[in-house]
Amino acid sequence: MSDDSPRFVRFTPEGFNTFLNVLHETYGSAGNAMIYNMAEKYGKTLILTHVPNMPDDPQAQIATLKMYAERFGPLGWGVLTLEDIDLEKGRIRVLIEDRPFGPSKGSDDTPSDIFTRGVMAGILGAFLKKELSVEKWDSTVGSTNYRIEYKFS
């Protein structure tokens, strides 16, 4: 491997869940906040590294986001669909099909779900040049689909 080649650290979903669960079990709600904040920073950095000159025009930002959304699946994040973007109301809703950490196990507030919401907030926020907050989320037990709604101003 040459010195300028990107290096990747790979976890299995089970291994990464173990990592996240340790933070959750050791630090409780503070651990969950750490998970979300680290994930959000990761998502934002991921996008700004690949798209350093994000357009200022909101419609161009959305077009760029839609183009990149198609690339998330091969990276292991599942199929990302932008279901609704309302710039006037400051809302965006996404659907992740084949979510990265497998089917829901009865709680849609697991550490891996908190991580997923954080990463998506960072990614979407980087494209829109906005800070996003989670409004609501939805996952059916046993489903690999995950819907998240964010608000921004």
Side-chain angles (χ1 to χ4, degrees), residues 15-152:
F16 197 68
N17 274 325
T18 299
F19 173 78
L20 297 175
N21 286 332
V22 167
L23 283 170
H24 170 75
E25 291 165 5
T26 304
Y27 300 106
S29 62
N32 291 344
M34 285 188 276
I35 292 167
Y36 185 88
N37 287 323
M38 288 186 303
E40 183 180 30
K41 179 71 172 177
Y42 168 75
K44 187 174 286 188
T45 301
L46 177 69
I47 295 307
L48 295 178
T49 299
H50 290 88
V51 190
N53 299 313
M54 190 63 65
D56 290 323
D57 174 61
Q59 295 306 322
Q61 292 167 348
I62 292 170
T64 305
L65 171 58
K66 287 180 178 179
M67 180 181 70
Y68 274 86
E70 296 173 4
R71 299 178 184 180
F72 293 136
L75 295 174
W77 286 101
V79 179
L80 179 66
T81 303
L82 303 170
E83 291 189 320
D84 185 41
I85 302 173
D86 189 328
L87 296 175
E88 289 182 21
K89 292 183 180 178
R91 296 197 184 281
I92 184 168
R93 187 176 60 241
V94 297
L95 172 65
I96 302 170
E97 297 174 272
D98 192 23
R99 61 200 243 164
F101 298 103
S104 174
K105 294 177 176 53
S107 169
D108 56 1
D109 206 22
T110 63
S112 62
D113 289 331
I114 294 166
F115 179 82
T116 302
R117 291 194 301 267
V119 170
M120 286 297 127
I123 288 171
L124 298 170
F127 276 106
L128 299 173
K129 296 186 175 182
K130 306 277 186 189
E131 293 295 320
L132 276 70
S133 60
V134 177
E135 183 76 3
K136 61 183 174 179
W137 63 91
D138 176 39
S139 178
T140 304
V141 176
S143 173
T144 59
N145 295 346
Y146 193 56
R147 182 172 281 110
I148 313 166
E149 187 171 318
Y150 296 93
K151 64 180 180 178
F152 57 89

